[in-house]
Amino acid sequence: MRLRFNIFNLFGVGVVAAFLAIVLVHSNLVESTQDAMERSSRFDVAWVGAGGRLEAYALQKSLARYAVTKSPGDAQQVQLFTDIVTGRFGIFASPTFEEFLDAKASRRDQLTEASLRFKRIVPELKSIENVSDDRISVLISEFETVLRAIDRVGAEAHSESVNHADAIRRELHEKQSLQKWLATSLFVLIALLLGLAAIQNYFLGKAGKKAMRAARDFSYLAHHDNLTGLPNRMAFNVEFEKVVGRLRRPGAGRVAIFAVDLDEFKAVNDRYGHPTGDALLKQATLRMSETCATFENSIMTARLGGDEFAVMMSVPEDDVDAILDQAETLRKALSVPYDIDGTTLVVNASVGVKISAPDRDPSNLLIGADIALSQAKASGKNRVLLFDPSMHDAFIRQALIQSELDNAIENDEITPHYQIKVDVGTGRVVGAEVLARWTHPTLGPVSPAEFTKIAEQSGQIVPLGRKVLEKACRDALRFPREMGIAVNLSVVQFVRDDLVRTVREVLDETGFPAHRLTLEVTESLMISETDRAVEILSQFREMGISVALDDFGTGYSALSYLRTFEWDELKIDRSFVKELETDERAGSIVGSIVSMAHQLGIKVTAEGAETPRQIEILRDAGSDTIQGYHFGRPVPFSDFPAAVLQAVAAAARLERHRVPQQSANLSGKVARLH
Ligand code: C2E
Ligand code: CA
Ligand code: CA
């Protein structure tokens, strides 16, 4: 490009120079021509010379004739030509002819002499009738000399003039050919320039097309996601604006937005690495595109970022149920296990749906769909949820909680509470479950079920979990030695944290003995992270920590999970315990779970026992320990001694004969806690 410009500059300079030269040569030529014309018109030396010769010959002729005829007519002729030749000598004296004479000294001498000679015979020539015959002969010979001089000078004038004209012609010819040459060069240069311009035009055209293509490519890249090739958020917004424009017209239909998100995508990325995450996204995209292609009302599928997708659909005939069915079809398609390079990944999807209302501004549909999606995730994932205005408040609350969590963790606003576990056989308090509590300055008490879920979604569960464990270990160092603590762990901590290291560090830092610590995990960990979970849990056991399977009786509650790991403890969920008094079968189910667990050497704790009857049934079913409001609610560290006494008292009421021993022992021990 740069080279082409240089050539152009060079040619441009050439053309301008040639043009200037032509102008100069041309004006010079015009000047020379004018000069020559002027010179020839101003004084034609040859003509003056030739005129002189003719006039002298005419005088000689008339003189010779008069000598023969002596007629008065011929005498008149002689007198006339004498006057003419006299006049001619006058012309010879004009400055321009003088110039010619001066060019050669002999000319002037000859002519001066001829002029003198002539002047001498002029009086006789003028009165030739009175001149004698002899004298006429003398005059003829005298004039012969004059004539010769005039003839020679006239001949020279002629040849001089011819030479001069020749020189001028040659000069003009040279200048004309130079002009012709320059003009030809100019034409060649112009032709070359035009040729180059055409070439440049061609290249410019090509470059223009390339630029257009690049602009189109750029626009494509700007509007499409690199990884999946789907339209991106920008393209989605552009399309959405168009659709919104149409929707504002009266009688326009309705539009639905699906906000789609893969439930365990972050875990896949963290655990298997980004290449696997990318491959999963590509497969998920393909499924979305294929599924949406079967929907006649689908407008656009886009990837908004990460594992967030959005689908825009028109709502034919206001059929909201049909739209929800389509969302469900999409969710199911995305939840079929994925095969990525031979690894089977079970990844579910959640879908939030928002449908435009006829009299409402449709511009915040995507936000609504997003809110519905976050609610779908918060309420168990793997589901489709239609936006409901109440979700908006829940969403705001959730966002507020998430934004306040960091501070709360940092400033020790989240503190462990302790719920006592009682050994039903002995009526003794064997320990407590650690349950996080947070009282927010404006929101008031926030349930751990709420904030741990939010913290799991944001990853804040990692620092939160560590903080709770640390504080609980420090607190529990001041509990009676026979009492242990049970700390809850979230699946997310297994995925996102180096949990073994964290627990080891906390135990080292606090000095809390590992054998007094139980870690509680739910079966969801065993579903999604079996191998990794078993590996980590085994390391805990090797460290002397007990491991409990929490919430048994919810979810799948497959007894097979009991065999996947050497659990120390199984915690039967409150939902089971609640049924005990009303449903006889619940008792026998608990019985079989307990005996199965015991056969495998696993202790059983029942959670959520609120009544003496429930406790009785649980004890009869073989449950080892019981935890529930009947023995006490979760309390802060400062209330723990009192809670222990209350729990022992409650147990005593159930088992009067065992009460005094532990009550007496404990009263002393817990009193020292303060
Ligand atoms: P969870 O591990 O199943 O904890 C037992 C829950 O049952 C506690 O609720 C406890 O207060 C409640 N509970 C115990 N006995 C009774 C009873 O007799 N009646 C009734 N109605 N409820 C009873 P809480 O403290 O609200 O905790 C809820 C959930 O939050 C916990 O369920 C646990 O999954 C989670 N959580 C609490 N603290 C932590 C924590 O530090 N880390 C993690 N990862 N999760 C935590
Ligand atoms: Ca628990
Ligand atoms: Ca539980």
Side-chain angles (χ1 to χ4, degrees):
M1 204 65 190
R2 190 177 196 85
L3 186 72
R4 252 195 333 262
F5 271 127
N6 287 342
I7 287 174
F8 266 91
N9 291 345
L10 223 63
F11 270 94
V13 170
V15 167
V16 171
F19 192 74
L20 279 175
I22 284 173
V23 169
L24 272 174
V25 169
H26 185 73
S27 61
N28 183 261
L29 195 70
V30 169
E31 221 168 68
S32 312
T33 313
Q34 272 176 351
D35 183 42
M37 300 277 280
E38 222 166 75
R39 262 184 286 166
S40 54
S41 67
R42 205 173 34 186
F43 175 66
D44 190 346
V45 174
W47 182 249
V48 171
R53 286 169 87 190
L54 286 173
E55 287 156 7
Y57 277 121
L59 179 56
Q60 189 199 37
K61 226 160 119 188
S62 56
L63 193 58
R65 196 176 304 131
Y66 178 74
V68 178
T69 63
K70 298 279 187 338
S71 72
D74 287 335
Q76 268 179 5
Q77 282 288 317
V78 170
Q79 285 157 2
L80 175 69
F81 281 112
T82 300
D83 285 343
I84 289 173
V85 171
T86 306
R88 181 56 62 182
F89 272 110
I91 294 171
F92 283 159
S94 72
T96 28
F97 201 78
E98 291 253 289
E99 219 175 90
F100 159 72
L101 293 177
D102 287 342
K104 218 169 169 188
S106 60
R107 287 179 197 157
R108 176 167 293 283
D109 295 347
Q110 279 177 42
L111 212 60
T112 312
E113 202 196 314
S115 173
L116 286 172
R117 267 181 199 277
F118 184 64
K119 271 182 188 156
R120 272 205 298 273
I121 61 172
V122 165
E124 286 171 285
L125 289 173
K126 292 280 269 185
S127 54
I128 196 73
E129 300 101 325
N130 307 323
V131 177
S132 66
D133 286 352
D134 292 346
R135 192 62 200 156
I136 288 173
S137 301
V138 173
L139 287 176
I140 288 174
S141 85
E142 270 294 296
F143 189 70
E144 184 70 36
T145 317
V146 173
L147 173 75
R148 264 204 305 280
I150 291 176
D151 190 44
R152 212 172 296 127
V153 170
E156 264 186 44
H158 177 73
S159 72
E160 172 98 331
S161 162
V162 166
N163 286 347
H164 193 65
D166 221 39
I168 290 175
R169 208 178 306 122
R170 256 201 321 275
E171 188 189 329
L172 285 177
H173 187 261
E174 272 169 17
K175 285 188 178 166
Q176 267 174 349
S177 45
L178 179 63
Q179 192 186 30
K180 217 187 279 173
W181 186 86
L182 281 172
T184 314
S185 320
L186 184 69
F187 279 124
V188 170
L189 277 173
I190 288 174
L192 273 172
L193 200 66
L194 285 174
L196 272 176
I199 291 171
Q200 197 200 28
N201 237 11
Y202 168 75
F203 280 116
L204 277 178
K206 257 181 110 170
K209 273 187 201 147
K210 212 167 146 188
M212 292 271 283
R213 251 199 323 274
R216 270 203 305 273
D217 287 354
F218 180 74
S219 160
Y220 181 86
L221 285 180
H223 289 90
H224 286 80
D225 164 53
N226 245 356
L227 179 71
T228 62
L230 279 184
N232 61 12
R233 188 182 284 271
M234 194 191 274
F236 185 84
N237 287 344
V238 169
E239 185 61 35
F240 184 65
E241 280 307 312
K242 284 189 208 158
V243 171
V244 165
R246 285 202 296 274
L247 287 181
R248 290 206 170 103
R249 284 184 222 135
R254 295 168 74 182
V255 70
I257 302 283
F258 297 172
V260 185
D261 194 296
L262 300 178
D263 290 339
E264 288 85 18
F265 179 70
K266 280 192 184 68
V268 170
N269 243 355
D270 289 344
R271 182 162 168 203
Y272 297 98
H274 286 263
T276 305
D278 287 353
L280 172 66
L281 284 176
K282 280 188 197 165
Q283 281 196 24
T285 300
L286 194 69
R287 290 187 194 179
M288 283 188 73
S289 302
E290 281 173 1
T291 310
C292 290
T294 64
F295 303 152
E296 279 178 8
N297 52 327
S298 126
I299 302 171
M300 182 185 252
T301 304
R303 181 182 175 209
L304 305 184
D307 60 332
E308 273 177 76
F309 296 88
V311 180
M312 204 187 308
M313 315 270 283
S314 60
V315 185
E317 292 152 21
D318 259 7
D319 193 348
V320 173
D321 288 343
I323 288 289
L324 291 178
D325 285 348
Q326 287 176 323
E328 184 58 27
T329 307
L330 186 61
R331 185 200 63 75
K332 278 187 186 148
L334 288 171
S335 301
V336 174
Y338 292 81
D339 179 358
I340 290 170
D341 295 334
T343 307
T344 304
L345 293 180
V346 180
V347 177
N348 295 320
S350 299
V351 183
V353 181
K354 170 112 201 249
I355 300 174
S356 66
D359 50 346
R360 291 267 173 80
D361 180 8
S363 50
N364 54 8
L365 276 188
L366 184 59
I367 297 172
D370 261 339
I371 291 174
L373 171 67
S374 63
Q375 289 306 307
K377 282 185 164 287
S379 57
K381 302 181 177 176
N382 198 22
R383 56 189 297 201
V384 172
L385 219 57
L386 178 65
F387 177 84
D388 173 296
S390 69
M391 285 179 186
H392 189 257
D393 297 340
F395 177 78
I396 299 288
R397 180 180 164 87
Q398 195 177 320
L400 184 69
I401 288 174
Q402 191 183 320
S403 71
E404 302 271 301
L405 255 178
D406 282 338
N407 262 343
I409 299 165
E410 191 69 23
N411 302 336
D412 292 336
E413 280 178 34
I414 296 175
T415 53
H417 276 48
Y418 301 90
Q419 187 180 31
I420 278 159
K421 281 161 84 174
V422 174
D423 180 328
V424 274
T426 61
R428 288 170 182 257
V429 172
V430 291
E433 179 174 2
V434 179
L435 295 158
R437 289 288 177 271
W438 178 24
T439 303
H440 183 267
T442 53
L443 295 172
V446 186
S447 144
E450 187 177 16
F451 70 75
T452 53
K453 214 161 268 167
I454 294 169
E456 279 175 351
Q457 279 171 25
S458 64
Q460 288 159 304
I461 192 73
V462 171
L464 170 67
R466 184 184 174 126
K467 198 73 179 243
V468 170
L469 177 69
E470 217 176 273
K471 287 182 140 239
C473 286
R474 286 191 205 286
D475 283 353
L477 275 175
R478 297 163 74 186
F479 289 176
R481 263 171 219 215
E482 68 267 27
M483 288 187 196
I485 51 165
V487 177
N488 291 284
L489 293 180
S490 145
V491 181
V492 180
Q493 285 172 276
F494 279 79
V495 176
R496 294 213 191 172
D497 194 15
D498 183 350
L499 206 47
V500 176
R501 195 170 133 195
T502 301
V503 172
R504 190 171 278 133
E505 276 175 9
V506 171
L507 291 182
D508 286 350
E509 282 165 23
T510 57
F512 188 71
H515 73 268
R516 287 173 63 191
L517 178 65
T518 299
L519 295 173
E520 296 189 5
V521 296
T522 57
E523 64 181 356
S524 59
L525 176 74
M526 304 311 288
I527 298 169
S528 60
E529 303 288 329
T530 318
D531 298 342
R532 193 176 155 89
V534 167
E535 195 194 310
I536 295 172
L537 295 177
S538 303
Q539 290 186 53
F540 287 149
R541 289 202 79 229
E542 278 164 27
M543 288 162 66
I545 299 167
S546 300
V547 179
L549 179 61
D550 199 2
D551 296 348
F552 198 82
T554 58
Y556 296 99
S557 298
L559 285 167
S560 59
Y561 290 128
L562 295 182
R563 295 180 192 278
T564 53
F565 182 69
E566 287 178 70
W567 304 100
D568 294 287
E569 186 180 338
L570 174 72
K571 295 187 82 176
I572 297 176
D573 192 68
R574 187 167 70 90
S575 55
F576 248 108
V577 175
K578 240 166 46 181
E579 304 289 307
L580 291 176
E581 287 173 277
T582 49
D583 189 345
E584 268 185 23
R585 281 172 307 170
S588 49
I589 292 172
V590 171
S592 359
I593 293 172
V594 171
S595 67
M596 169 96 177
H598 283 168
Q599 275 171 34
L600 293 166
I602 305 170
K603 263 191 332 181
V604 177
T605 299
E607 288 188 296
E610 294 181 354
T611 64
R613 176 72 192 131
Q614 284 168 349
I615 292 167
E616 201 180 325
I617 300 171
L618 287 168
R619 196 185 49 202
D620 292 349
S623 183
D624 301 288
T625 42
I626 293 181
Q627 183 188 336
Y629 287 177
H630 183 76
F631 292 123
R633 291 175 181 254
V635 293
F637 173 68
S638 56
D639 294 348
F640 187 70
V644 170
L645 293 176
Q646 273 170 23
V648 171
R653 280 195 293 277
L654 294 166
E655 302 266 353
R656 289 207 174 271
H657 62 282
R658 296 180 199 250
V659 177
Q661 278 171 307
Q662 195 183 24
S663 180
N665 286 345
L666 281 170
S667 324
K669 284 180 185 171
V670 295
R672 290 197 294 274
L673 284 177
H674 290 284

